[in-house]
Amino acid sequence: MDNKRHLIGEVDKKIGEVLAKSERSKRLPKTHKDYWKERVEKLTYGKDPETGKPLEASEFSVRLYHLGRREYFPLNTSNRKTAGDEAKRIYTFLKANGWEPTLAKYKPEAEEKPEIETVGDLIAAAKEKADVRPLTFRQYQGALRRIAGSIRNIDSSDASKYQPGGSSWQVKVDRVKLSTITPEKVQAWRKKQLDRLNPAERKRKETSLNSSLNQARSIWKHSGLPSPFQGLKWKGTARRFQPSVDAPTLLYWAEQELKEQDSSKPESEQFKALVLCLFLGLRKREADCLTWQQINFDAGKVRIETTEHFKPKSENSEREIPIQESLLPKVSKWRKGADQTFVLQGGEARPLEQFTYYRAEGTWKELTAWLRSKGVDSPKPIHYLRKLSGSLMYGANDVYAAQRFLGHSDIRTTIGSYVHEGGKTFELEAVKPEPNLKKIVS
């Protein structure tokens, strides 16, 4: 027996001991077919749910190393000898031709597993590509998860489902195959959500659902797959704006109660915040992070743009807004004793925060309470000021001027919400309300 092993090279001649298979294969040149027979392997993936042991692939693969690079190649056979022969063939081709021709011949892209198959894959890919604020992206992924989870009947009653770092609910939803989310299922899901609601409830629910569908559609575009939201017909989420208190009346009370009456003292923060939103139509976050550098006093314009402190809602949100002639000298006086960087006093800016955060939170809370005391019944009193501003621009000019002034991406949002082009703006003067109106707003 030993003699036979000695003859076929399985015994070390110097020490007279039988070599292990790994030792024998190391002595063979890479051009020898038996060298590769011992180096092919069946890869493992996941674990058996019953035994907990790794699951093994049915066919062999081989890992090749060449010029500092390693790659696995599928050998498409469960026979070790045949796999070894194929591994030798691939290695010989690799040495002669290099990596690119070898990968094209033996590991074509068409045979690779698609990169984006599940909800989790899509969220991870979109996070790298989407050019939106972290908070906006968080809303997008939340909408997609809610829709996918509901379509697949994954229980979402656990309040911890949105906890930072994930939850068991998120793990389950992230495993949902994108191929299972079809236009038919999305339509059926939407219809089910609206069933058996009275007209008022249905209208509110439609607005919420359509907003979620729009957000999910914004993240789906990064999948490279046909959109299950494409072709669906639903009404826009904008509601026709109907003011409960008009702008001149609101400005009158602001000048009486919020404006600093002593010109030698700094202007109150609540009045400054109101003016930025009411006169310039700024969004709450735009006003919150507005810097003095964004105001061109010589040109009389405010520039809404990406800064180190702030990223606009969309590309169309970047715009120039003319400052009313009557307002310009007042804004100029605000600089005295103000923050060196920001127009409004507050904390540090956190542009990468993933939850709702405002650096002038105290100011916004006080202004919100004041607006409600004057009869503003909107769910978002600060945004109510922007809507008043948009209505004034619309009335004084036209819908296109209002769209540019407000920074809307879609003119249908402007048309659907309100009854800037060049230097167009509007003037606003305070008007004391009539006695019968005073009861409503005071």
Side-chain angles (χ1 to χ4, degrees), residues 214 217 234-240 394 399-400 403 408-418:
N214 283 330
R217 185 170 56 178
W234 60 74
K235 297 178 181 178
T237 58
R239 293 183 179 181
R240 182 74 63 178
Y394 197 163
V399 67
Y400 298 102
Q403 180 195 11
H408 286 158
S409 298
D410 192 334
I411 196 168
R412 288 175 296 182
T413 303
T414 317
I415 294 173
S417 298
Y418 304 99

Side-chain angles (χ1 to χ4, degrees), residues 245-257:
V245 185
D246 63 38
T249 298
L250 207 55
L251 180 59
Y252 171 81
W253 288 114
E255 290 185 345
Q256 294 297 310
E257 300 179 11

Side-chain angles (χ1 to χ4, degrees), residues 280-310:
L280 304 180
L282 300 189
R283 295 181 174 91
K284 186 176 179 180
R285 194 173 303 279
E286 292 171 346
D288 189 68
C289 293
L290 184 69
T291 65
W292 292 111
Q293 287 188 342
Q294 291 174 257
I295 302 177
N296 186 331
F297 286 98
D298 292 332
K301 291 184 177 182
V302 171
R303 175 68 185 170
I304 302 302
E305 60 189 348
T306 299
T307 69
E308 62 181 295
H309 312 291
F310 165 79

